[in-house]
Amino acid sequence: MVDTDAHVAGDAPAADPLIGSVLAGRYHIGALLGAGGMGAVYAANQQPLGRGVVVKVMHPEYARDAAFRDRFIREAKAVCALSHPRIVSVYDFGATGAVVTDLTTPG
């Protein structure tokens, strides 16, 4: 499971403390790809594999809501069970509000 408590691995811009940090000891967060009402999406590198991934992180207010976290986990498990060329693969997820998918654009 992914933990969104980040350990800063270098100089991160003050505006976004996740950039340059490492989530769950294995996802080095790179560029912000987008943000919306529910959270933000980052390009990342899964270490030590060196695999490019996407990490979606919920806004903290949603991550603290137990009902929302439960729904998030159910949805992540449901997506993990899917396999289709037009659906990204889910590699990891965490109760604190992060989901890790592959970096490639589906089919």
Side-chain angles (χ1 to χ4, degrees):
M1 304 251 299
V2 177
D3 183 1
T4 56
D5 291 334
H7 166 70
V8 176
D11 294 329
D16 193 332
L18 286 180
I19 295 175
S21 68
V22 177
L23 296 180
R26 63 187 172 277
Y27 300 106
H28 184 262
I29 304 298
L32 176 68
L33 299 177
M38 300 296 286
V41 178
Y42 300 88
N45 187 279
Q46 183 181 15
Q47 302 188 357
L49 300 177
R51 174 170 52 185
V53 296
V54 172
V55 175
K56 181 177 182 180
V57 180
M58 279 190 279
H59 291 310
E61 61 269 20
Y62 295 115
R64 287 189 292 266
D65 181 309
F68 193 89
R69 279 195 321 269
D70 289 346
R71 188 177 87 197
F72 174 82
I73 291 169
R74 280 194 311 274
E75 290 177 3
K77 286 180 178 180
V79 172
C80 286
L82 300 174
S83 178
H84 189 276
R86 297 205 180 264
I87 299 174
V88 295
S89 297
V90 174
Y91 296 138
D92 202 353
F93 65 92
T96 56
V99 64
V100 180
T101 64
D102 80 40
L103 185 59
T104 61
T105 303

